[in-house]
Amino acid sequence: MRGQRNEIWCIYTVQGDLDEDEEEPNAFRVFSRQRDGPCLGDLMRSYARSRPVGNRGERWHWRVRVLDESHGHAWMDVTDESTCLQVEAIAPNSYSVFAKLLDTSARA
């Protein structure tokens, strides 16, 4: 991934939302200037840009999928916006970050 122009997508579900289906997740394009892949801050900014203006007061807790040698993958809670995230190849020059979001705003 280093040094190439790649497309990065975040594929996600919203935990606790009755309308969500893990078989049909949501997605948004991630905009990042990081050479080694996106950080949490990139995901947060890209997600906010993809949302309708009326929803911008939401607060989200992010859980991302990471590779795990013992179990294939695990879910890691991420709170530091500078944390670099693992990406997984989904097609040539196309990568994704898999995430679960939990709405932590007062209205949730």
Side-chain angles (χ1 to χ4, degrees):
M1 184 163 166
R2 181 179 266 277
Q4 297 180 24
R5 191 131 179 103
N6 297 297
E7 189 170 83
I8 303 171
W9 291 88
C10 179
I11 301 179
Y12 71 98
T13 56
V14 177
Q15 294 183 278
D17 187 332
L18 298 177
D19 294 329
E20 288 291 300
D21 181 357
E22 288 196 19
E23 299 297 319
E24 296 182 25
N26 308 293
F28 62 90
R29 178 110 187 251
V30 178
F31 299 93
S32 175
R33 295 179 188 212
Q34 308 294 325
R35 294 182 63 104
D36 295 327
C39 62
L40 177 60
D42 295 325
L43 261 65
M44 294 170 73
R45 286 185 291 280
S46 298
Y47 182 69
R49 288 174 51 180
S50 74
R51 306 287 290 156
V53 174
N55 293 343
R56 299 261 167 103
E58 300 166 328
R59 287 193 315 262
W60 297 97
H61 175 78
W62 294 78
R63 181 170 287 154
V64 297
R65 188 164 82 181
V66 294
L67 298 178
D68 179 272
E69 290 181 20
S70 301
H71 306 288
H73 74 268
W75 293 98
M76 179 177 74
D77 296 312
V78 184
T79 57
D80 182 348
E81 292 186 30
S82 66
T83 300
C84 290
L85 305 173
Q86 290 182 4
V87 295
E88 298 177 38
I90 56 174
N93 296 325
S94 187
Y95 296 84
S96 66
V97 173
F98 291 90
K100 294 181 180 183
L101 280 66
L102 178 62
D103 188 351
T104 60
S105 52
R107 63 171 186 73

